[in-house]
Amino acid sequence: MPTQIDLLYISAVILLIATFGIVVRRGFSDWLHAYRYQTIILAGVVALIAFVTNIWELYIVSALTLGIKAIIIPKVLFYVTKKLDSPIKLETNPYVSLRISVIFSALLVTMSYFMTLQLPISSDKTIDVFLPVSFSLFFIGLFIIISRRKALNQIVGLLTIENGLFLFAVVITHGFSLVIEIGLMADILVGVIISSILLFRMSRTFDSIDIKNLESLRDD
């Protein structure tokens, strides 16, 4: 019978594996499905932290995470981008190859664990397990933004960073007030809608969503 600490470690490993699922994908549909799986696991992690800490508000935060971030946001992105041509949804020529991306992401995870050991934070078992994972999500999301050329992937990278920051806040504070949590998730949803509309306009203007095209908009 696994103990609570076993469950925490197992869920942390599954969350990291789901994040690597985003790194190794090439298509927008695959990225979104991987992000959805990552967020579903994140909602489960929040529910597990609620169980361990006995803070009932975190169960509501877990449900909001599942509903808004794992269901509504992917649906919005699929709906807004469904008219884009299939070829421009594929990351065929990233700045960094997928194989090197996996190796670099593994190094970022190692660096995250090393960094958390240096932080003077009063520790409990949830912080010990999930603080390095939150750093890993943040850095891997940042790496996705830097290493990929498609604007669609930039959005998924931003969402991964947001998941890392969200996990960091939950682990450190054991949750903000519900009003703040709802406000933050509404902000994220609005940001995703605006980003998706801009993406759609970009595809219509350039017949591509390669971020290199944005350089032509520079005022020399």
Side-chain angles (χ1 to χ4, degrees):
M1 187 71 179
T3 63
Q4 286 184 354
I5 192 69
D6 291 334
L7 292 174
L8 291 176
Y9 277 114
I10 291 170
S11 59
V13 171
I14 295 174
L15 184 55
L16 284 175
I17 291 173
T19 304
F20 273 77
I22 299 174
V23 176
V24 300
R25 302 301 176 93
R26 287 184 180 275
F28 177 60
S29 176
D30 294 333
W31 297 327
L32 268 190
H33 285 305
Y35 165 75
R36 175 180 285 163
Y37 297 144
Q38 180 202 56
T39 307
I40 290 172
I41 296 165
L42 180 62
V45 165
V46 175
L48 185 58
I49 293 174
F51 174 73
V52 171
T53 59
N54 201 28
I55 300 175
W56 67 268
E57 288 93 343
L58 287 179
Y59 287 113
I60 300 177
V61 174
S62 173
L64 288 172
T65 301
L66 186 65
I68 294 177
K69 296 170 68 177
I71 297 176
I72 295 177
I73 286 178
K75 280 186 177 294
V76 168
L77 286 171
F78 273 125
Y79 177 78
V80 174
T81 60
K82 67 181 179 182
K83 293 184 180 178
L84 298 181
D85 297 332
S86 295
I88 67 174
K89 295 182 184 180
L90 291 175
E91 184 74 68
T92 55
N93 187 26
Y95 291 118
V96 181
S97 70
L98 296 186
R99 182 175 300 177
I100 294 178
S101 294
V102 172
I103 296 172
F104 198 80
S105 297
L107 292 175
L108 290 174
V109 173
T110 304
M111 183 183 76
S112 298
Y113 275 85
F114 177 78
M115 284 178 59
T116 52
L117 291 176
Q118 315 305 317
L119 295 177
I121 298 177
S122 59
S123 184
D124 63 28
K125 52 190 172 186
T126 58
I127 292 178
D128 288 343
V129 175
F130 291 113
L131 189 61
V133 177
S134 69
F135 279 27
S136 299
L137 265 60
F138 177 86
F139 288 127
I140 291 175
L142 193 60
F143 174 69
I144 290 172
I145 292 175
I146 294 171
S147 63
R148 304 299 168 84
R149 303 170 68 101
K150 299 291 187 183
L152 286 169
N153 220 343
Q154 310 285 307
I155 295 176
V156 176
L158 282 172
L159 291 172
T160 302
I161 289 176
E162 194 281 326
N163 274 349
L165 293 174
F166 170 76
L167 181 60
F168 176 84
V170 169
V171 168
I172 295 296
T173 67
H174 290 167
F176 301 123
S177 74
L178 281 179
V179 175
I180 295 177
E181 294 282 3
I182 293 171
L184 289 175
M185 291 196 185
D187 281 346
I188 296 166
L189 182 59
V190 171
V192 167
I193 292 173
I194 293 173
S195 299
S196 301
I197 293 172
L198 290 175
L199 191 67
F200 184 77
R201 298 292 300 174
M202 180 181 173
S203 70
R204 287 292 179 265
T205 302
F206 298 107
D207 291 328
S208 170
I209 53 172
D210 192 320
I211 58 173
K212 194 173 182 180
N213 292 320
L214 296 178
E215 294 178 4
S216 63
L217 300 177
R218 186 173 53 196
D219 187 12
D220 294 325

